[in-house]
Amino acid sequence: MQKNKWLLKNCDSLKGRRVIVTGATGGLGREICFHLASLGANITLACRNEEKANNLIDEIKEKYADVEADFIELDLSNKQSVDCFIKKVKAYNGIDV
């Protein structure tokens, strides 16, 4: 695809960088995940639906085998979910974006 060639030519590599994407399983968030993966970013999906997240992780890993992808549940309408998400993110060794 033309857009992938353009991205690779015009965007810096994100290889080895960790990026958290909220709303990752639908629409724009999903496309952002694939673009970031194409640049080598390791991706953490922050979203509500674990099944959709795991399906997307499988798709990302199938297309970009060298990219790490994982899931942390996040429901922004639930304070307890947000607090739990923050604790898990703080435990990561380096979040870049």
Side-chain angles (χ1 to χ4, degrees):
M1 296 182 93
Q2 289 288 7
K3 69 178 178 180
N4 289 337
K5 289 180 183 178
W6 186 93
L7 281 170
L8 292 173
K9 182 178 178 183
N10 294 288
C11 297
D12 292 334
S13 171
L14 294 175
K15 189 165 180 71
R17 304 265 180 144
R18 172 65 58 183
V19 179
I20 296 177
V21 179
T22 59
T25 59
L28 188 56
R30 180 181 174 82
E31 291 302 313
I32 288 170
C33 287
F34 281 106
H35 289 300
L36 292 168
S38 75
L39 297 171
N42 297 319
I43 303 167
T44 296
L45 284 64
C47 47
R48 295 176 295 193
N49 189 310
E50 185 173 3
E51 183 179 348
K52 285 183 180 180
N54 286 328
N55 289 338
L56 179 55
I57 288 169
D58 290 343
E59 289 180 52
I60 291 168
K61 289 181 177 181
E62 183 179 313
K63 191 168 184 177
Y64 304 101
D66 59 334
V67 168
E68 294 177 16
D70 60 8
F71 161 73
I72 300 176
E73 183 176 355
L74 175 61
D75 181 348
L76 293 173
S77 69
N78 181 316
K79 185 182 180 323
Q80 184 178 6
S81 174
V82 173
D83 291 340
C84 185
F85 175 81
I86 291 169
K87 285 179 186 175
K88 289 178 181 180
V89 168
K90 284 183 177 181
Y92 270 76
N93 187 14
I95 299 295
D96 297 294
V97 180

